[in-house]
């Protein structure tokens, strides 16, 4: 039986009555957070972010959350322990908790369910499977649908900043990566560069761990890279990480480890070369408003809002940064504004918070002079 394009599109959508529902995304990796957030916001959910289990427990208590998407492997406190603690909170024994893991091992799924998760889904997240789970698990409620321009809509325009399909063939599945990010080319290019920056030296790191028999640590590193590369459609790197991790968890035959290390090295090199040579960030978005007439009160409000977005680890578009930088050119030192652009492009939230505080001090000084 053939499924029509219209039916397929409908199946990828959240039920209208559920749009605007507040979801807690608990994800330990910053790249995976950005990918998952973009996907979830593009289907109409309000997202709160937690990067570890302790933060997740606190967010559930204070943010009006109605469903939780919980990563399994995280620093500080892992997903199973956070799930157990949430279940122990008064009034939260029935809140839907969907566990996520990049592993395909039965014991990981068993851990999710034993801890109290309602079900477990694998990463990289499949949009179809994710929407199916959310439609089944989000409790009915009087939710306020989102009416703001989504990050994905804001980032779809502009010239292409990615390699061609022919260049990326067999290395990066561009169609899949863009699909994961709801077509946001600008964010996709930024996250690919972040992948290369963070894990471009992983060949040497894995080799050192294996050589010193630190197999569990090597496996954990490959597990992280597997999840990130899968989310971004870095298919060659993903397959190499999957195979290497499986061997480290299995028999660890010397010949196989040598072969898999070589294959992993080649995948890292090919992926990094393609990213560095073929991906250039898009030019900053054009802000339509006449920023020369923006009041000091409005600038201060925008700075406050951007700081709040950074605290919540939200995606920050070029337009949001330009809305502060342009009217501040005659007020704030250019070096500080350049740092703001760079930190936003690097998704460096700690630096953004610090810069917002510095800019706030400068604006307060100007107001009192």
């Amino acid at each position: 039986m053939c499924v029509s394009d219209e039916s397929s599109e409908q199946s990828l959508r959240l039920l209208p009555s559920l749009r605007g529902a507040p979801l807690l995304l608990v994800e330990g990796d910053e790249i995976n957070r950005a990918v998952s957030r973009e996907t979830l916001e593009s289907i109409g959910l309000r997202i709160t972010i937690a990067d570890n289990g302790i933060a997740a427990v606190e967010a559930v208590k204070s943010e009006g959350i109605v469903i939780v998407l919980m990563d399994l492997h995280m620093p500080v406190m892992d997903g199973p322990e956070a799930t157990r603690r949430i279940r122990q909170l008064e009034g939260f024994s029935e809140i839907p908790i969907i566990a996520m893991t990049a592993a395909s091992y039965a014991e990981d799924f068993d851990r999710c369910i034993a801890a109290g998760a309602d079900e477990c889904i694998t990463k990289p997240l499949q949009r179809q499977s994710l929407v199916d789970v959310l439609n089944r698990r989000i409790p009915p409620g009087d939710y306020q649908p989102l009416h703001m321009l989504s990050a994905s809509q804001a980032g779809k325009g502009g010239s292409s900043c990615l390699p061609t399909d022919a260049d990326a063939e067999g290395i990066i599945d561009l169609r899949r990566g863009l699909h994961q990010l709801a077509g946001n080319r600008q964010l996709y290019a930024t996250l690919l560069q972040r992948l290369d920056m963070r894990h471009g030296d992983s060949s040497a790191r894995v080799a050192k761990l294996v050589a010193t028999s630190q197999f569990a640590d090597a496996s954990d590193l490959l597990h992280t890279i597997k999840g990130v590369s899968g989310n971004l459609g870095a298919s060659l790197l993903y397959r190499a990480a999957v195979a290497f991790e499986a061997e480290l968890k299995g028999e660890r035959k010397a010949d196989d480890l040598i072969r898999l290390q070589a294959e992993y090295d080649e995948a890292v090199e090919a992926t990094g070369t393609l990213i560095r040579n073929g991906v250039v960030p898009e030019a900053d978005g054009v802000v339509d408003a006449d920023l020369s007439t923006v009041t000091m009160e409005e600038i201060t409000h925008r700075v406050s809002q951007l700081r709040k977005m950074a605290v919540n680890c939200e995606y920050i578009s070029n337009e949001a940064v330009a809305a502060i930088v342009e009217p501040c050119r005659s007020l704030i030192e250019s070096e500080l504004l350049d740092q703001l652009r760079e930190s936003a492009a690097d998704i460096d939230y700690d630096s953004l918070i610090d810069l917002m505080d510095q800019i706030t001090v400068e604006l307060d000084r100007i107001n009192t002079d």
Side-chain angles (χ1 to χ4, degrees), residues 26-167:
V26 191
E27 170 60 67
D29 183 88
E30 64 175 312
I31 296 177
N32 286 337
R33 281 199 300 273
V35 174
S36 298
R37 183 186 193 100
E38 182 74 2
T39 299
L40 293 163
E41 288 188 336
S42 74
I43 61 179
L45 294 170
R46 297 180 186 275
I47 308 304
T48 297
I49 296 287
D51 60 5
N52 64 71
I54 292 178
V57 175
E58 293 304 311
V60 165
K61 292 191 291 187
S62 62
E63 298 292 339
I65 302 300
V66 300
I67 186 168
V68 180
L69 205 55
M70 179 77 73
D71 189 19
L72 184 65
H73 299 279
M74 290 184 295
V76 185
M77 179 189 290
D78 66 11
E81 179 60 27
T83 298
R84 281 188 286 270
R85 295 198 184 189
I86 290 172
R87 288 286 183 235
Q88 293 168 1
L89 296 174
E90 183 177 355
F92 291 96
S93 61
E94 301 298 324
I95 187 172
I97 300 178
I98 313 303
M100 305 181 293
T101 176
S104 57
Y105 306 108
E107 57 265 31
D108 280 333
F109 286 86
D110 291 342
R111 285 181 65 206
C112 296
I113 303 303
D118 292 281
E119 55 187 287
C120 187
I121 58 178
T122 58
K123 297 190 294 184
L125 298 177
Q126 302 292 326
R127 192 180 182 90
Q128 177 68 73
S129 300
L130 179 62
V131 170
D132 286 345
V133 169
L134 295 172
N135 280 335
R136 283 189 284 106
R137 294 293 184 178
I138 295 176
D142 185 19
Y143 305 122
Q144 183 65 38
L146 299 176
H147 295 293
M148 64 185 68
L149 180 66
S150 70
S152 60
Q153 289 173 306
K156 284 181 179 177
S159 59
S160 173
C161 62
L162 298 169
T164 65
D165 288 327
D167 290 338

Side-chain angles (χ1 to χ4, degrees), residues 14-318:
L14 196 68
L15 294 173
S17 61
L18 304 180
R19 292 172 190 165
L23 177 146
L24 175 63
L25 172 63
V26 191
E27 170 60 67
D29 183 88
E30 64 175 312
I31 296 177
N32 286 337
R33 281 199 300 273
V35 174
S36 298
R37 183 186 193 100
E38 182 74 2
T39 299
L40 293 163
E41 288 188 336
S42 74
I43 61 179
L45 294 170
R46 297 180 186 275
I47 308 304
T48 297
I49 296 287
D51 60 5
N52 64 71
I54 292 178
V57 175
E58 293 304 311
V60 165
K61 292 191 291 187
S62 62
E63 298 292 339
I65 302 300
V66 300
I67 186 168
V68 180
L69 205 55
M70 179 77 73
D71 189 19
L72 184 65
H73 299 279
M74 290 184 295
V76 185
M77 179 189 290
D78 66 11
E81 179 60 27
T83 298
R84 281 188 286 270
R85 295 198 184 189
I86 290 172
R87 288 286 183 235
Q88 293 168 1
L89 296 174
E90 183 177 355
F92 291 96
S93 61
E94 301 298 324
I95 187 172
I97 300 178
I98 313 303
M100 305 181 293
T101 176
S104 57
Y105 306 108
E107 57 265 31
D108 280 333
F109 286 86
D110 291 342
R111 285 181 65 206
C112 296
I113 303 303
D118 292 281
E119 55 187 287
C120 187
I121 58 178
T122 58
K123 297 190 294 184
L125 298 177
Q126 302 292 326
R127 192 180 182 90
Q128 177 68 73
S129 300
L130 179 62
V131 170
D132 286 345
V133 169
L134 295 172
N135 280 335
R136 283 189 284 106
R137 294 293 184 178
I138 295 176
D142 185 19
Y143 305 122
Q144 183 65 38
L146 299 176
H147 295 293
M148 64 185 68
L149 180 66
S150 70
S152 60
Q153 289 173 306
K156 284 181 179 177
S159 59
S160 173
C161 62
L162 298 169
T164 65
D165 288 327
D167 290 338
E169 186 174 359
I171 302 174
I172 298 178
D173 186 341
L174 299 174
R175 292 178 183 274
R176 174 178 175 75
L178 283 169
H179 179 72
Q180 289 288 91
L181 286 159
N184 191 332
R185 301 179 67 86
Q186 179 183 343
L187 179 58
Y188 186 33
T190 298
L191 294 179
L192 283 174
Q193 289 186 316
R194 175 63 80 177
L195 170 66
D196 184 46
M197 291 170 59
R198 287 185 58 194
H199 300 302
D201 65 344
S202 61
S203 292
R205 290 156 60 197
V206 171
K208 182 177 180 180
L209 291 170
V210 172
T212 54
S213 299
Q214 299 179 67
F215 300 120
D217 290 340
S219 180
D220 287 345
L221 175 56
L222 288 166
H223 181 89
T224 296
I225 294 168
K226 178 178 70 175
V228 173
S229 59
N231 262 331
L232 295 179
S235 51
L236 184 65
L237 182 58
Y238 174 78
R239 291 192 299 270
V242 168
F244 207 170
E245 183 194 16
E247 184 62 29
L248 287 172
K249 287 180 173 290
E251 297 183 17
R252 297 198 290 268
K253 295 180 179 178
D255 290 345
D256 288 336
L257 289 177
I258 292 172
R259 173 180 57 82
L260 290 167
Q261 178 75 59
E263 291 176 359
Y264 184 76
D265 294 349
E266 292 176 4
V268 171
E269 178 62 27
T271 302
T273 298
L274 182 65
I275 292 171
R276 290 189 293 274
N277 293 341
V279 181
V280 180
E282 289 188 18
D284 292 324
V286 177
V287 179
D288 294 331
D290 181 4
L291 295 175
S292 63
T293 62
V294 177
T295 65
M296 184 67 75
E297 181 181 5
E298 175 61 23
I299 294 173
T300 302
H301 174 70
R302 292 177 184 180
V303 170
S304 175
Q305 289 299 106
L306 191 64
R307 188 187 190 282
K308 184 176 180 180
M309 292 169 70
V311 168
N312 292 331
C313 299
E314 298 180 23
Y315 168 65
I316 297 174
S317 68
N318 284 339

